[in-house]
Amino acid sequence: MDAKYISHIELHEVAHSFVMNEEEVLLFNDLNLLLSRGSAYAITGPSGAGKSSLLMLMSGLEQPSQGRVSASFEGQHTGMQDVREHIGFIFQQFHLLPELSALANVALPLKLRGVKDAEAKAKSWLAKVGLGHRLTHKPKQLSGGEQQRVAIARALVFEPGFIFADEPTGNLDAKSAADVADILFSCCKENGAGLVLVTHSDALAARAEHVFRLANGACHVEK
């Protein structure tokens, strides 16, 4: 399935909970949300509201306690398992492989897909995020902002239909956070990808076209 045909991700009456001390804790209930490719969404709310859990459900990395999450392509609905390989995820902790260079980290998703010119495409994406001069450096030789740029390049290198980012600027200083945000939004726009991010930053959330605020088990669409 080609990612370019993925047009929407939809949540249908989704609820999610977990068990703590033998008691069920409800994070949110009865969510009905639509994500469209090419648009940017921010998920905000207080700590413990379930922002990261919602992101994991939207991306198909976890299953909801109730309801369902589906994707649309060519007018047909399908389960998230059918489109998972066409979705990119950016973690707050970067999750780069420490023994690999920046180039090897970015090329890896392509090599796993059998793409023959993986390194050439990886070089191109590292240049796009301003790291064309750091190809051979390993993560420990890069700053936090540079590591996050590598993570962005790795997530976008296979041209996914949607990018999901969990606090992508949460571990960065103000200057690095602003630079990473600029790169993330511009690269997703250039690629026509949908962007969904969790953030505590009001400034970052304001850059998204739509804001979902989670609080007290409900999701409020603020714009």
Side-chain angles (χ1 to χ4, degrees):
M1 184 188 305
D2 195 319
K4 67 184 180 182
Y5 296 126
I6 303 172
S7 58
H8 299 88
I9 293 175
E10 191 167 358
L11 279 67
H12 312 263
E13 299 180 358
V14 164
H16 201 55
S17 61
F18 64 92
V19 176
M20 184 173 63
N21 297 327
E22 299 183 353
E23 291 188 8
E24 184 179 24
V25 178
L26 180 66
L27 288 175
F28 43 78
N29 189 38
D30 197 29
L31 298 191
N32 293 281
L33 300 171
L34 181 67
L35 309 174
S36 298
R37 179 168 177 163
S39 295
Y41 303 82
I43 302 172
T44 67
S47 296
K51 300 184 298 296
S52 293
S53 292
L54 179 57
L55 194 74
M56 297 289 277
L57 298 181
M58 287 174 164
S59 63
L61 294 179
E62 289 186 7
Q63 297 296 314
S65 302
Q66 295 179 33
R68 63 188 176 93
V69 182
S70 65
S72 297
F73 67 100
E74 296 185 324
Q76 302 295 317
H77 287 277
T78 186
M80 294 302 295
Q81 69 277 4
D82 295 326
V83 297
R84 195 173 296 154
E85 67 180 88
H86 299 295
I87 287 172
F89 205 101
I90 300 169
F91 298 90
Q92 183 178 358
Q93 302 297 336
F94 316 136
H95 285 224
L96 301 176
L97 295 176
E99 69 277 13
L100 297 184
S101 66
L103 179 62
N105 264 286
V106 176
L108 184 59
L110 295 177
K111 289 183 176 181
L112 291 175
R113 289 167 168 79
V115 177
K116 293 182 179 179
D117 56 346
E119 290 200 355
K121 288 186 176 180
K123 285 181 182 178
S124 174
W125 270 100
L126 282 167
K128 286 182 182 182
V129 300
L131 292 178
H133 62 301
R134 305 283 262 168
L135 302 180
T136 61
H137 290 72
K138 294 183 177 180
K140 67 180 180 181
Q141 299 172 303
L142 302 173
S143 68
E146 289 172 331
Q147 290 184 58
Q148 191 61 298
R149 293 187 194 195
V150 175
I152 290 171
R154 181 183 60 185
L156 280 158
V157 71
F158 59 94
E159 300 182 357
F162 283 85
I163 287 288
F164 293 86
D166 194 359
E167 292 283 4
T169 62
N171 287 335
L172 307 178
D173 60 69
K175 175 64 167 62
S176 295
D179 290 344
V180 163
D182 287 344
I183 290 169
L184 184 57
F185 276 87
S186 64
C187 285
C188 284
K189 184 175 182 179
E190 178 184 339
N191 230 37
L195 173 62
V196 188
L197 56 88
V198 165
T199 184
H200 281 99
S201 166
D202 291 338
L204 185 58
R207 298 186 62 165
E209 297 159 83
H210 309 279
V211 177
F212 302 145
R213 178 172 175 79
L214 277 181
N216 303 316
C219 183
H220 307 278
V221 180
E222 297 193 339
K223 70 171 182 173

